[in-house]
């Protein structure tokens, strides 16, 4: 049962899984910096970074085809999280990217996969706002008064 649950919910790897990020530390560091920059935003009041490190598994629970770059960029937005409208825009940008990289039919299939499977109610490693605590599902991270991001837990030794 544990194996089936891991397959359904997703296991968070301790490293990036798609190439070139898996084997090229420099490219992985560039991707991490891009994720942090995206999450911080360009607003006068930047968002706090998630407590969990940025990781991408490519196209979660879907084959990593020549559209995998679309999945990686989508993971950047999903790691950071935010409002329901920001999630919808991230999913629409993902659909446009896959349509350009592959086909509109595949883009539609993948779009509905992330709309349903990436909902923040699912405690999966690929849900909306997966870099943050499970609750709140949607939040405006730019407003410090809307939520308090927990500090990372100290190492218990």
């Amino acid at each position: 049962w544990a194996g089936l649950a891991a397959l359904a919910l997703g296991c968070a790897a301790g490293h990036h899984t798609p190439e070139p990020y898996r084997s090229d530390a420099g490219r992985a560091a560039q991707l991490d910096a891009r994720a942090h920059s995206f999450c911080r935003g360009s607003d006068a009041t930047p968002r706090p970074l998630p407590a969990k490190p940025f990781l991408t598994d490519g196209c979660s629970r879907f084959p990593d085809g020549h559209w995998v770059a679309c999945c990686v960029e989508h993971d950047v937005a999903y790691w950071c999280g935010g409002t329901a409208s920001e999630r919808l825009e991230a999913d629409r940008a993902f659909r446009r990217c896959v349509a350009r990289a592959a086909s509109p039919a595949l883009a539609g299939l993948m779009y509905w996969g992330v709309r349903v499977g990436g909902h923040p109610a699912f405690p999966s490693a690929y849900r909306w706002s997966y870099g943050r605590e499970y609750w709140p599902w949607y939040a405006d991270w730019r407003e410090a008064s809307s939520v308090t991001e927990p500090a990372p837990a100290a190492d218990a030794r």
Side-chain angles (χ1 to χ4, degrees):
W1 289 109
L4 289 175
L7 180 62
L9 297 176
C11 292
H15 58 279
H16 300 300
T17 57
E19 289 296 348
Y21 312 108
R22 178 177 59 221
S23 61
D24 185 335
R27 296 284 299 271
Q30 289 174 346
L31 177 61
D32 293 344
R34 192 164 74 241
H36 285 209
S37 178
F38 173 87
C39 193
R40 285 277 186 209
S42 60
D43 301 328
T45 307
R47 306 178 212 209
L49 291 176
K52 298 174 187 172
F54 173 72
L55 295 173
T56 181
D57 64 354
C59 300
S60 308
R61 305 288 167 243
F62 200 81
D64 286 346
H66 55 274
W67 50 82
V68 70
C70 303
C71 299
V72 171
E73 289 307 311
H74 190 246
D75 282 353
V76 168
Y78 263 56
W79 170 70
C80 189
T83 65
S85 62
E86 287 172 320
R87 176 176 176 239
L88 180 60
E89 180 48 39
D91 292 347
R92 287 177 174 167
F94 175 64
R95 181 175 54 190
R96 289 188 302 270
C97 184
V98 174
R100 284 189 305 270
S103 74
L106 182 63
L109 175 70
M110 293 177 77
Y111 171 81
W112 285 109
V114 298
R115 289 304 297 162
V116 174
H119 192 279
F122 297 127
S124 66
Y126 49 83
R127 66 173 167 78
W128 176 250
S129 198
Y130 71 86
R132 301 185 189 278
E133 293 300 316
Y134 181 64
W135 184 261
W137 293 345
Y138 294 108
D140 187 347
W141 300 106
R142 288 169 296 222
E143 293 183 19
S145 61
S146 68
V147 292
T148 303
E149 181 72 6
D155 253 352
R157 294 183 185 208

